[in-house]
Amino acid sequence: MRTGRTLAGAALALWAAFALPAGAQDEAGLAGRFLVAEPSIADPRFAETVIYIVSHDDQGAFGLIVNRPLGRAEPEAVYDRLGLDAPDAGDPIEFHFGGPVEGDVGFVLHSREFMTDQTLAVDDGLAVSGIRRVLEAIATGEGPDRAIFALGYSG
């Protein structure tokens, strides 16, 4: 349970450091905004991060760190790991550290011309989908024009 308390404490410190002036939040909370870590944040999971807030309400928050690349993987290896047929050719897929929660779960922050019934629209330009759906669409030439692949999330 210590890990949960440590993570909760780090999250509280993060939110305090990212606090907006009174009245800056609207009815949608912080969804669709980028939060930039204050230099005083010492927790290595959040120091020097930029988090895109996907959803935020009275039940909590969900965001993706967008400035921490983990590395690149060849498409064939990624598709194979998910049991999907890989497209004929493709550039390596760059993965980012999305956050310290559920690091084995993949999300894709992408442009909104690609939407499925399981896509969460964040604002007029961006949406989030599960990695499997996006890779399936990319394999058929129907994926998003722009995408950031993330492992884990911040919540």
Side-chain angles (χ1 to χ4, degrees):
M1 190 50 106
R2 180 184 166 120
T3 301
R5 276 187 255 168
T6 304
L7 195 55
L12 284 173
L14 184 66
W15 282 111
F18 287 137
L20 294 175
Q25 277 184 258
D26 57 17
E27 291 178 15
L30 298 174
R33 296 180 190 241
F34 288 94
L35 300 180
V36 180
E38 291 283 337
S40 62
I41 293 179
D43 185 321
R45 295 170 294 188
F46 296 109
E48 300 180 356
T49 60
V50 175
I51 300 174
Y52 182 74
I53 302 299
V54 174
S55 65
H56 175 238
D57 59 24
D58 60 353
Q59 302 298 310
F62 169 75
L64 298 171
I65 296 173
V66 296
N67 67 325
R68 287 250 178 106
L70 288 172
R72 295 175 183 248
E74 291 301 319
E76 297 81 15
V78 176
Y79 281 82
D80 186 53
R81 181 169 180 170
L82 294 172
L84 299 171
D85 291 328
D88 291 335
D91 295 328
I93 299 170
E94 183 170 13
F95 285 91
H96 287 77
F97 172 70
V101 182
E102 295 190 52
D104 59 342
V105 177
F107 300 93
V108 183
L109 177 64
H110 58 81
S111 48
R112 282 223 16 213
E113 83 287 342
F114 172 79
M115 299 288 285
T116 73
D117 59 343
Q118 296 178 357
T119 298
L120 175 63
V122 181
D123 62 21
D124 290 339
L126 296 173
V128 172
S129 297
I131 195 168
R132 183 178 197 86
R133 290 280 195 163
V134 173
L135 289 173
E136 288 171 340
I138 288 172
T140 63
E142 299 171 2
D145 291 336
R146 294 172 297 155
I148 295 175
F149 291 81
L151 295 174
Y153 66 93
S154 300

